[in-house]
Amino acid sequence: MVGREKELKIRFVPGRCELVEEDVHIPSRRVLITGATGLLGRAVFKEFNENNWNAVGCGYRRAQPRFEQINLLDSIAVHDIIHDFQPHVIVHCAAERRPDVVESQPDAASQLNVAASGNLAKEAAGVGAFLIYISTDYVFDGTSPPYKETDVPNPLNLYGKTKLEGEKAVLENNEDAAVLRIPVLYGDVERLEESAVTVMFDKVQFSNKSANMDHWQQRFPTNVKDVATVCRQLAEKRMLDPSVKGTFHWSGNEQMTKYEMACAIADAFNLPSSHLRPITDCPVVGALRPRNAQLDCSKLEMLGIGQRTPFRAGIKESLWPFLVDKRWRQTVFH
């Protein structure tokens, strides 16, 4: 279903230009995406926008001109945009997701990850919108993978604790909401530092200097395009079936340490990897991390939901714009 609006456009004809009225198709299904300026939010916005949804994104510091500028801690602003737009679905991507930043700024992180999430859930319930709250594999301690949605969480760091508290705040304020737990993400980054996966690329490229790489923590790198597809499929399934709610897991299925990811990146671009050094000790600096928080995704798979991009294909697509030595482009892409 689509709505119609009139839009004025300038048409050029020989010797003059004239103003004409054209029909503009507006999809009737409406989705609001928070954190739309971030790595995941951009992919979620794009996925819905390209699949016959009327998508509105909101952000804060980097919002304008493409997205609505909303401070999620401003409950009046949140209320107003939800009541003005009347979304059918809200995908809540906004969060403080850097574990070491959460440890150093716990109050600010708790405000965004917990208080704002609970308020958003309450406002979503008020207009009957289906809320998808993005959570993390870090709610688990990593001692007995793989983890099902019903397994008891035990976060090791404050980031995992705030996201778990956010889950509880969402489901307490909106029993029809969904929680989607996901692991480490990568994708079309604007800067290499946007992802814990892509940030390794410079260490891989500059092979004149040896680089220590973690070879202890088991990760499951997941492409944001795949998570975006899961969000859309979940939303569309919910439009047909009100019983689609509660907690879900999605993850890539290739188990890799950061060292193994770095070697795979080097291999994808035909770059040397002998300068990369695997460190098998448990990291002693920064927030504690779970050893292996692998997520069992069978619940979504049984609903027919899911998409997985092979890591080498996905990481090559994400990183080639940041390739320093242009000569390598000839061997990689021709």
Side-chain angles (χ1 to χ4, degrees):
M1 289 287 295
V2 294
R4 288 179 182 273
E5 281 193 6
K6 297 288 186 184
E7 186 177 78
L8 289 172
K9 288 194 173 177
I10 296 173
R11 184 167 62 196
F12 293 94
V13 292
R16 70 184 194 282
C17 62
E18 55 189 38
L19 216 51
V20 294
E21 231 181 24
E22 284 188 6
D23 278 349
V24 180
H25 294 283
I26 299 175
S28 62
R29 300 181 298 182
R30 296 181 296 279
V31 59
L32 179 69
I33 296 120
T34 74
T37 55
L39 176 61
L40 177 59
R42 294 195 303 270
V44 172
F45 178 86
K46 187 169 187 279
E47 173 68 20
F48 277 93
N49 201 41
E50 292 177 353
N51 284 278
N52 203 31
W53 282 78
N54 178 4
V56 167
C58 56
Y60 189 45
R61 283 185 299 274
R62 297 175 288 165
Q64 293 170 328
R66 191 176 175 204
F67 300 118
E68 300 293 319
Q69 186 170 30
I70 302 287
N71 178 357
L72 292 177
L73 305 182
D74 180 345
S75 56
I76 294 170
V78 170
H79 174 88
D80 287 349
I81 192 170
I82 290 174
H83 279 259
D84 289 348
F85 184 51
Q86 293 281 319
H88 300 97
V89 175
I90 300 172
V91 186
H92 182 28
C93 300
E96 179 47 75
R97 55 175 185 76
R98 297 164 294 178
D100 295 333
V101 173
V102 176
E103 299 283 341
S104 62
Q105 301 172 26
D107 292 341
S110 180
Q111 283 290 306
L112 182 57
N113 291 359
V114 184
S117 301
N119 181 57
L120 200 62
K122 181 161 60 77
E123 293 291 351
V127 296
F130 174 48
L131 176 68
I132 302 173
Y133 169 78
I134 302 295
S135 191
T136 172
D137 58 343
Y138 273 31
V139 300
F140 297 112
D141 60 18
T143 57
S144 52
Y147 291 95
K148 289 185 177 290
E149 290 85 351
T150 49
D151 288 329
V152 179
N154 181 34
L156 296 180
N157 58 42
L158 198 56
Y159 166 64
K161 286 173 184 157
T162 63
K163 290 301 286 182
L164 181 59
E165 285 171 18
E167 290 184 12
K168 291 173 181 171
V170 163
L171 295 173
E172 281 167 10
N173 283 282
N174 188 338
E175 60 183 16
D176 291 325
V179 167
L180 179 62
R181 294 178 182 146
I182 53 174
V184 66
L185 301 175
Y186 74 93
D188 293 339
V189 293
E190 292 178 346
R191 318 176 309 282
L192 290 175
E193 306 78 54
E194 256 195 315
S195 156
V197 179
T198 59
V199 74
M200 298 187 283
F201 195 33
D202 281 346
K203 283 185 177 179
V204 172
Q205 290 193 85
F206 301 120
S207 54
N208 57 339
K209 189 177 175 186
S210 69
N212 292 342
M213 292 290 182
D214 176 63
H215 195 42
W216 175 82
Q217 189 184 14
Q218 305 298 314
R219 309 302 298 269
F220 293 82
T222 301
N223 195 310
V224 289
K225 288 181 182 174
D226 297 341
V227 178
T229 297
V230 166
C231 288
R232 179 182 58 79
Q233 290 174 332
L234 194 58
E236 291 176 355
K237 184 76 77 175
R238 167 58 176 263
M239 298 295 99
L240 303 171
D241 180 0
S243 73
V244 174
K245 57 185 179 181
T247 305
F248 299 93
H249 290 171
W250 190 253
S251 170
N253 57 3
E254 295 170 80
Q255 180 172 328
M256 310 168 103
T257 62
K258 280 194 173 178
Y259 169 72
E260 288 165 332
M261 285 185 236
C263 290
I265 291 168
D267 186 59
F269 289 99
N270 298 325
L271 296 168
S273 60
S274 56
H275 66 295
L276 304 172
R277 295 168 49 188
I279 306 298
T280 54
D281 300 333
C282 173
V284 291
V285 294
L288 284 173
R289 265 77 165 171
R291 174 79 189 268
N292 182 352
Q294 181 181 5
L295 299 172
D296 181 317
C297 305
S298 55
K299 184 176 170 183
L300 278 177
E301 288 165 348
M302 285 175 71
L303 287 173
I305 289 174
Q307 172 182 296
R308 288 190 177 97
T309 302
F311 181 71
R312 279 163 203 256
I315 203 66
K316 190 186 282 191
E317 184 186 323
S318 303
L319 287 177
W320 77 263
F322 298 92
L323 196 57
V324 171
D325 189 344
K326 301 302 185 283
R327 288 173 302 174
W328 288 109
R329 295 193 182 193
Q330 308 309 310
T331 59
V332 174
F333 293 100
H334 296 287

